[in-house]
Amino acid sequence: MTPSVKIFILNWNGGEILLSCLESVSKIEYNNFDIIVIDNNSSDNSINDIHLKFPKIKVIALDH
């Protein structure tokens, strides 16, 4: 059995850097991992971009 791994990525107005990071992390060759983005109230449309390009990635959107 493979251990479950959670990858947490913090974001605040990361834009293109965040999408590039998610693209890279999504290529990890491991069977049992989840990617979770914690967004610190970004105003640059980061959350929408994540949902459009990486619909399986969970987003925790903070309001401050």
Side-chain angles (χ1 to χ4, degrees), residues 2-17:
T2 325
S4 176
V5 174
K6 306 290 185 206
I7 300 170
F8 293 93
I9 300 172
L10 300 176
N11 179 58
W12 182 71
N13 293 327
E16 291 297 317
I17 295 170

Side-chain angles (χ1 to χ4, degrees), residues 3 34 42 44:
D34 295 304
S42 292
D44 69 347

Side-chain angles (χ1 to χ4, degrees), residues 1-56:
M1 185 168 136
T2 325
S4 176
V5 174
K6 306 290 185 206
I7 300 170
F8 293 93
I9 300 172
L10 300 176
N11 179 58
W12 182 71
N13 293 327
E16 291 297 317
I17 295 170
L18 174 64
L19 296 178
S20 176
C21 175
L22 293 174
E23 183 71 37
S24 179
V25 173
S26 295
K27 294 178 182 176
I28 292 174
E29 293 183 14
Y30 188 79
N31 294 329
N32 196 10
F33 76 97
D34 295 304
I35 303 168
I36 302 161
V37 174
I38 302 171
D39 184 82
N40 289 314
N41 200 26
S42 292
S43 59
D44 69 347
N45 213 28
S46 296
I47 294 174
N48 289 335
D49 291 344
I50 295 168
H51 289 307
L52 288 173
K53 296 181 181 180
F54 301 95
K56 293 183 180 181

